[in-house]
Structure formats: structure tokens, C-alpha cells
Amino acid sequence: MERERNTTSLRKRLERGDVTLGMAEDTYSPTLVELYGDLGLDFVWIDFEHAGPSPWDAGAVESLLRASELTGTELLVRVPVTEPALVRKVLDAGVRNVFLSHVDTADEVRDIVRAAYFRYDGGPGERGLAVPRASRWGLEDDYAAAEDEAVLVGVTIESLEAVENIDSILDVPNLGFVFVGPFDLSVAVGSPGELDNPDVQDAVETVRSRSVERGVPVGNLGFGMEDVNEKAGNGYQILNVGTTALAIQEIVAEWLNAYEEPRNR
């Protein structure tokens, strides 16, 4: 069944309990971001942690944003360092949904979330007030209030320390979601890539169950659509269904395997 384009923001959809599906675009192509939007994906994951252009490169970020805005999908942008200035930079470019890698404590998370808001937890936030692209260069009415209603900030839980601190992390005001990092958790327990390791599974389940109990949206990677469907039924609201590179590999390999060499040569 063809999925319809979305008209509701990712933040609002998570707040009402929807499950959202996305794709990791690991070639960093605006054309493919646009295509994924036309296909009806809820978000396109742009991961600046492991590859791609620098997240400080506003021009590269803006090109990806324009492609998403054309087709009604949203970017879910992961930045590589827990640096408040970088969070403010990508938000000013027009990113609405940003999440951080390698956070271990609630204090780290609170500093990051505060940097994304003009008003935070009943007091001043630490978002810089200027006239960037996010404000339509000063043309948007009530810009500060509109931004505080629009931005979504999350964190990746990918260390044993973060798992141990999950309750205090989930208590951080305005934390929009947590995303489980199973591969880095496998490294943390000393079994890289072994996602079936009991310690990895226990860590993942701790994050999932505590998040669902506390009403904080939780995300994870999907390993095939059967796994995606199972996770969607188990409380996950943000699910990455694959990557561009893996999708191309799978499809082209299937084509090549189906090729039959002509007999009469």
C-alpha cells in the first residue's frame, strides 16, 4: 500500500503516539531525500556522526533540508558531538529534529536540550536569537515561540553508563525521544556486532521498557520488516527500516542472481 505524505510534524506525531518510519540516507544526496519523501517516509535519517559532510557546513545541510521540504518528509539529523553550539547551528539552518550521540548522563542531556530552546523548564533557554533560515530570515511571526513548539531533541543511548542513568535521563524536561544504539552497546559489553548477546539484549530492553513506562518516545533500528512490525507492536515509535546502501546492495544482488546467461553464443 502506498503511504501518503505527512502534513503533521514528527514531534506532533510522536506526542500523539504514532509509529514513524524512516530511512538512513547514507549517500547524503538531496535527490534521494526527495525521492524518499515522495515514497511517503515519515523521516530521513541524516547521520553526520559516521560519514557525510560536516554538520557545521550550513550549505550542505540546507540542500538536504530543501529536498525534504519539497516532499513533506522531515530530516532526523544526528550530530557527532554533544556540543550546544552545534545544536544551535543546525537548528538555525532549519533542522527541526536533532539527536545526539554518546551521551552518558542527565546533566549532558539537559545542557543539550536547553541549548535548543528559547525558554526552558520555566526559565530562559540558551538558544541564540538571530534571523537565520529557521526564522525565514526574520519574516516568521513569533519566531521564538514557534521554534519552541517545533523542535524535537533526542539522544542515542549507546553506553552502559547511559543505560544505568536511563531513569534520570528520561526525567530531563523537553527530552523528545531516546534512540537505542544496539551496535555500540554490543561494543560496550565487549562483543562487537553480536546483537544476540544477552547483555546487549538486557540493555536494549531496559531502555525500551523504561521509556515506554515513562511515556518518552523510543526508537531503534529495524532488521527487516518482520522485525520492524514486531518492534512497532512493542512500543517503539521511531523505526529506521534500512539504509540506501543496503537497499541498493540487496536489490542489485537480487537482479544479478536472477540473470540467466544466454545459451547460444
Side-chain angles (χ1 to χ4, degrees):
M1 181 180 68
E2 184 177 348
R3 290 171 60 82
E4 295 182 356
R5 293 184 183 181
N6 300 309
T7 57
T8 304
S9 72
L10 186 62
R11 172 172 163 174
K12 295 299 184 186
R13 297 193 68 198
L14 294 177
E15 288 175 347
R16 73 188 187 192
D18 291 358
V19 175
T20 59
L21 303 181
M23 192 84 168
E25 209 309 271
D26 49 4
T27 71
Y28 303 88
S29 163
T31 299
L32 287 175
V33 170
E34 186 178 351
L35 173 60
Y36 288 141
D38 276 334
L39 288 172
L41 285 172
D42 302 309
F43 64 87
V44 179
W45 179 354
I46 302 295
D47 190 351
F48 290 124
E49 180 186 3
H50 294 295
S54 167
W56 291 99
D57 183 348
V61 175
E62 288 172 7
S63 293
L64 294 163
L65 280 166
R66 291 186 186 98
S68 71
E69 291 162 358
L70 275 173
T71 52
T73 190
E74 293 189 65
L75 299 188
L76 181 59
V77 172
R78 182 160 73 170
V79 296
V81 291
T82 55
E83 188 172 339
L86 180 54
V87 172
R88 290 190 286 263
K89 176 78 169 180
V90 297
L91 290 176
D92 281 353
V95 171
R96 301 276 65 80
N97 316 296
V98 59
F99 71 121
L100 286 297
S101 56
H102 300 289
V103 297
D104 295 319
T105 69
D107 287 340
E108 288 179 296
V109 175
R110 190 175 295 106
D111 287 345
I112 289 299
V113 179
R114 185 185 292 115
Y117 284 88
F118 292 103
R119 293 194 58 79
Y120 182 71
D121 195 24
E126 294 184 357
R127 177 85 182 267
L129 185 58
V131 286
R133 182 176 186 272
S135 72
R136 308 319 298 172
W137 300 278
L139 298 176
E140 182 171 318
D141 293 334
D142 205 4
Y143 166 56
E147 282 292 283
D148 281 353
E149 285 294 318
V151 298
L152 177 73
V153 183
V155 295
T156 315
I157 304 298
E158 51 194 344
S159 72
L160 295 182
E161 184 177 357
V163 175
E164 292 171 1
N165 292 327
I166 189 61
D167 288 327
S168 59
I169 288 173
L170 293 171
D171 282 339
V172 172
N174 291 76
L175 176 64
F177 66 94
V178 295
F179 198 97
V180 180
F183 285 107
D184 280 352
L185 284 172
S186 75
V187 174
V189 304
S191 300
E194 297 178 16
L195 302 190
D196 291 335
N197 181 291
D199 291 335
V200 176
Q201 293 185 333
D202 287 348
V204 169
E205 177 55 22
T206 295
V207 177
R208 185 207 67 82
S209 61
R210 299 288 177 81
S211 301
V212 171
E213 288 169 7
R214 306 291 276 280
V216 176
V218 59
N220 204 337
L221 304 174
F223 301 98
M225 290 312 297
E226 183 176 340
D227 180 60
V228 168
N229 290 331
E230 181 178 343
K231 285 174 176 167
N234 205 25
Y236 286 101
Q237 287 184 255
I238 306 172
L239 288 163
N240 184 67
V241 302
T243 74
T244 296
L246 289 176
I248 291 172
Q249 289 177 41
E250 183 176 331
I251 293 169
V252 174
E254 182 181 334
W255 289 345
L256 292 175
N257 290 335
Y259 173 69
E260 296 181 1
E261 186 91 22
R263 295 182 180 178
N264 298 321
R265 276 198 169 184

